[in-house]
Amino acid sequence: MTSWREQLAFAPLETGERGEEIGRRIRHAIELGVLEDGAQLPSENDLAAMMRVSTQTLRTALAELRHLGLVETRRGRGGGSFVKANTGELARARRETLAAYTLDDLRDIREYRAVLAGSAAAAAAARPQQISVARLASLGAMVESAAEPAGMARADSRFHLELAAASRSVRLTRQEMALQAEVGPLIWTSAAGSGVRAAQEHAAIVEAIRLGQPAEARVRAEEHVRHEMNALIDLRMSMDGSAPMAPRQRRAESAESEAVAGIESLAVEIEKRAVAAIRAVDNAVLAALDAAPDKGLAALEAIYDVTLDSLVAARPVLYGVGFLADAAYFGDTGIVWSYVPVGRPAPERLEMDLQYYDYSSSPWWPKDEKGAVQASYSYVDALGSNAYLVTFSKRVVKDGRSVGVAAADILVSRIQEEFAPFLEALPAGSCIVDQMDVVIATNSGSLVGDIFSPDGGVARTVPLPAVPWRLHVAAAE
């Protein structure tokens, strides 16, 4: 019988034979206390089979773990690979692991976890007579009696795995296992008082399942997961000094006014940099077409250097700059685009297949026929850069005809980073929203990536100059 620890730590990889992924998975399981000090790992053959990788790939990963001092290998009778974990360092390891995640990472995990948990709970509530509701309730209550974070993590993970199994979907359960192995213990990095709350939320989920209420079970499960993840996001934000770990005290009016003024000024600067890059591309496109009117799309190669220079001039605010050809003018689609890959110092040219990318229907395609700069709402560019963006864009017009669009991207995560120092000076729950009321910057983890809906906690709303965004200043506690 495979233990729940092995299920979490050694769940099959989805991405094939990657030694670094195997090493990361086991390392996190050791650092986060899922695999305890002195525990013996399965044999290399068994472990390779469990994780669905080759034995050689697994050996490479174990060698790296031995180098890090997290695994030791003993020879002879009773030998094998054993975990070496300093329990006094686990809290530090959890925080270091959490620090490696961006807010975008955690927001995405939050929504994915919520969908999985909500779907599992709804499926279980649709047939409560086919599952052991009593067992689910018992597992849900265990988190309250756990005395320390590692025990809370184990109890919470076991409940969520049992909930996933109640869906009767093997694939969903495997996904839940993978998520628990990745971030489950992190939720309990700061666990004071959380066990009681979690047990109450578990009980509400189980009760909806017992009563055969799929919609209620889904809502309860999604709220529970988002509650857990929002607390984790708050903790992650506090590591950058961009969010409080405790309720704010009333700030001096002068400090709040300075923060609002800083946010307004920064909004103007962001728009200014985007417009400067767009104007440079616009001018370069028109010059290229004038110089080679018969070359069509081939003439666009001349603006590649301009996109690179524009990104260098606007660093670190802009993520991508370029031009997208209007098929009605050129007879075909085309793109010249440069971007700064995350984690790399210099901009690069973006190569992409436009076969399935109808950019004329994208959120950033300009509605203004005269060539004014507009800003899109925040969106995921799923068929392009696969990033969470806001795009500034304008039509490039030649002789009264649209030849395409000059545009500049900014990562939503960059917007958060730029505004965070100013938001820190405002009451908790303050945020900046786009024209669709999506939160694009905030000092509260519960609002990251959410749709803002006023609940009486807003002291004032400030339209930001030059951009279609609004600052909601929360009422001081």
Side-chain angles (χ1 to χ4, degrees), residues 99-397:
Y101 287 92
T102 66
L103 294 185
D104 272 357
D105 292 334
L106 295 175
R107 177 188 60 81
D108 188 61
I109 292 170
R110 178 187 66 193
E111 297 309 310
Y112 188 35
R113 280 198 66 207
V115 168
L116 286 181
S119 297
R127 45 175 179 271
Q129 69 281 3
Q130 298 180 21
I131 66 173
S132 175
V133 177
R135 172 177 167 77
L136 191 60
S138 175
L139 290 173
M142 286 182 179
V143 68
E144 183 174 358
S145 60
E148 34 75 42
M152 293 177 182
R154 288 192 291 271
D156 192 50
S157 292
R158 293 181 71 177
F159 172 77
H160 282 283
L161 288 175
E162 188 73 17
L163 181 63
S167 72
R168 295 201 165 188
S169 169
V170 173
R171 185 178 295 272
L172 188 153
T173 305
R174 285 176 177 170
Q175 293 297 313
E176 183 64 41
M177 284 183 184
L179 280 173
Q180 288 295 329
E182 182 178 1
V183 299
L186 288 180
I187 294 168
W188 303 94
T189 302
S190 178
S194 299
V196 174
R197 187 212 70 237
Q200 292 171 344
E201 293 177 356
H202 290 171
I205 297 168
V206 175
E207 180 63 9
I209 292 173
R210 186 185 69 80
L211 295 175
Q213 299 174 336
E216 179 69 10
R218 181 186 297 276
V219 169
R220 293 290 187 175
E222 290 182 353
E223 287 180 345
H224 166 60
V225 166
R226 289 195 173 98
H227 195 283
E228 287 186 331
M229 291 300 300
N230 286 341
L232 187 62
I233 292 171
D234 270 335
L235 179 58
R236 176 63 184 86
M237 292 173 73
S238 73
M239 294 178 178
D240 294 332
S242 58
M245 291 192 68
R248 298 175 187 272
Q249 301 299 315
R250 181 178 296 275
R251 305 284 182 168
E253 289 186 6
S254 59
E256 183 172 303
S257 296
E258 289 176 4
V260 172
I263 289 172
E264 291 176 321
S265 178
L266 180 56
V268 171
E269 181 63 24
I270 288 174
E271 192 266 354
K272 179 180 177 181
R273 294 195 183 192
V275 169
I278 288 171
R279 298 293 184 195
V281 171
D282 188 343
N283 293 334
V285 169
L286 295 178
L289 293 177
D290 285 340
D294 299 326
K295 293 186 67 175
L297 286 171
L300 301 181
E301 291 295 317
I303 70 168
Y304 175 54
D305 288 342
V306 175
T307 65
L308 290 172
D309 292 343
S310 295
L311 278 177
V312 171
R315 66 173 45 169
V317 173
L318 296 185
Y319 171 67
V321 172
F323 174 78
L324 298 103
D326 192 330
Y329 183 90
F330 288 97
D332 196 4
T333 56
I335 181 172
V336 175
W337 196 270
S338 297
Y339 76 118
V340 184
V342 176
R344 298 185 185 179
E348 299 178 4
R349 181 166 182 168
L350 175 67
E351 301 292 346
M352 62 178 289
D353 183 0
L354 296 176
Q355 181 179 0
Y356 301 109
Y357 195 174
D358 178 16
Y359 48 71
S360 65
S361 63
S362 296
W364 49 263
W365 189 259
K367 307 299 187 293
D368 190 294
E369 299 288 342
K370 299 180 180 179
V373 175
Q374 70 171 42
S376 75
Y377 53 83
S378 54
Y379 68 100
V380 177
D381 188 22
L383 296 178
S385 60
N386 198 32
Y388 190 30
L389 307 167
V390 168
T391 300
F392 293 82
S393 60
K394 74 173 292 292
R395 289 185 185 273
V396 179
V397 180

Side-chain angles (χ1 to χ4, degrees), residues 1-35:
M1 176 70 70
T2 302
S3 72
W4 72 270
R5 296 177 186 276
E6 291 177 336
Q7 290 177 332
L8 287 179
F10 312 135
L13 296 180
E14 299 179 18
T15 51
E17 298 187 357
R18 294 197 304 169
E20 60 184 29
E21 175 67 10
I22 301 169
R24 184 194 66 82
R25 172 81 66 78
I26 300 176
R27 177 172 62 83
H28 285 182
I30 295 171
E31 291 177 339
L32 302 175
V34 175
L35 295 178

